[in-house]
């Protein structure tokens, strides 16, 4: 994960060849099993991984990426599924059992992606709750009122006996503290 910081915060082509290789191998270890399970073909898996890595580099230059590992897995899985769909359309299948196997694999892959996404969401939510609990009670209170109780700045100001500007500042500080706590917890997992 640490290597990916360089990927998303630097021009990948400008990095040293050794660092590029470390980043690529770290990425490959993350996604290989998932993609090989989908395709069942080693050569196709390697092609998909290389194409997805290029795509990830291209996208990371244009937009900010959060939840790096989950995002990388999702981009790679989506590309693999697209390649499999394309290959399925291009092939003239002589055996219906082969077609059935591909469909079953795709359905299973989609279920696994759904389960993986749900697990990642649960872990993220648990980490967020842990981060909220670790906040100073004043910050925790304003975060709870705004995000959980969905109160407006004005309503929070009345409840806390503060001005709306003070609530805005307190909420901004609380967000920063929460982000810091969340990043620490997420990094430790």
């Amino acid at each position: 994960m640490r290597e990916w910081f360089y990927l998303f915060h630097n021009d990948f082509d400008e990095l040293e060849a050794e660092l590029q290789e470390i980043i690529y191998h770290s990425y490959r270890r993350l996604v290989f099993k998932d993609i090989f399970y989908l395709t069942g073909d080693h050569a196709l898996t390697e092609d998909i991984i290389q194409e997805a890595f290029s795509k990830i580099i291209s996208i990371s230059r244009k937009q900010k990426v959060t939840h790096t590992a989950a995002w990388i897995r999702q981009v790679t899985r989506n590309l693999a599924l697209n390649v499999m769909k394309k290959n399925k359309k291009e092939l003239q299948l002589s055996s219906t059992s082969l077609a059935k196997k591909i469909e079953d694999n795709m359905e299973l892959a989609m279920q696994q992606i759904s389960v993986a996404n749900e697990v990642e969401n649960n872990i993220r939510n648990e980490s967020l709750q842990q981060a909220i609990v670790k906040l100073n009670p004043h910050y925790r209170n304003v975060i709870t009122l705004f995000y959980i109780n969905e109160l407006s700045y004005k309503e929070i100001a009345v409840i806390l006996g503060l001005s709306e500007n003070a609530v805005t500042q307190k909420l901004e500080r609380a967000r920063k503290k929460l982000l810091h706590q969340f990043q620490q917890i997420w990094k430790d997992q």
Side-chain angles (χ1 to χ4, degrees):
M1 291 283 290
R2 186 177 28 168
E3 300 90 337
W4 297 337
F5 173 82
Y6 292 104
L7 175 64
F8 295 110
H9 293 90
N10 295 305
D11 186 356
F12 186 78
D13 299 328
E14 298 293 329
L15 296 175
E16 296 175 13
E18 184 177 323
L19 185 54
Q20 288 179 358
E21 188 173 326
I22 290 170
I23 293 169
Y24 178 77
H25 288 294
S26 173
Y27 157 75
R28 186 183 177 280
R29 278 191 305 274
L30 176 71
V31 299
F32 183 84
K33 288 179 186 176
D34 291 344
I35 305 310
F36 184 75
Y37 184 80
L38 287 174
T39 65
D41 180 359
H42 186 34
L44 180 60
T45 299
E46 291 293 342
D47 290 344
I48 289 170
I49 288 173
Q50 289 177 7
E51 186 177 339
F53 187 71
S54 296
K55 186 174 182 177
I56 287 166
I57 291 171
S58 174
I59 292 171
S60 68
R61 290 178 181 160
K62 298 174 188 170
Q63 70 185 45
K64 183 179 178 187
V65 176
T66 57
H67 310 298
T68 307
W71 178 78
I72 286 173
R73 282 187 187 116
Q74 192 64 47
V75 168
T76 308
R77 284 184 208 129
N78 288 346
L79 181 64
L81 291 173
N82 288 343
V83 167
M84 289 176 64
K85 286 178 187 177
K86 181 180 175 187
N87 286 348
K88 183 179 173 185
K89 289 177 185 176
E90 292 175 353
L91 292 175
Q92 295 295 330
L93 297 175
S94 60
S95 169
T96 57
S97 64
L98 182 58
K100 177 70 173 140
K101 183 178 179 182
I102 290 171
E103 280 183 37
D104 291 345
N105 283 346
M106 296 246 327
E107 185 176 321
L108 183 59
M110 295 303 287
Q111 289 172 354
Q112 288 177 336
I113 289 171
S114 176
V115 168
N117 286 340
E118 188 173 333
V119 167
E120 288 174 15
N121 285 338
N122 288 342
I123 292 170
R124 184 183 63 244
N125 289 341
E126 287 175 16
S127 298
L128 185 57
Q129 288 176 356
Q130 290 173 6
I132 290 172
V133 167
K134 287 185 176 185
L135 285 177
N136 177 306
H138 299 290
Y139 291 143
R140 184 174 44 234
N141 192 22
V142 74
I143 290 286
T144 302
L145 291 171
F146 187 76
Y147 289 105
I148 297 174
N149 297 344
E150 298 179 350
L151 299 179
S152 68
Y153 288 99
K154 190 174 189 174
E155 292 169 324
I156 295 171
V158 169
I159 290 171
L160 298 178
L162 301 170
S163 69
E164 284 186 55
N165 285 338
V167 169
T168 302
Q169 289 176 348
K170 192 174 237 184
L171 188 56
E172 182 61 29
R173 288 183 192 128
R175 285 182 187 125
K176 287 179 182 177
K177 294 283 187 182
L178 180 60
L179 176 61
H180 178 73
Q181 289 290 346
F182 179 78
Q183 288 173 335
Q184 289 298 322
I185 292 169
W186 191 258
K187 184 175 83 176
D188 292 340
Q189 292 182 350

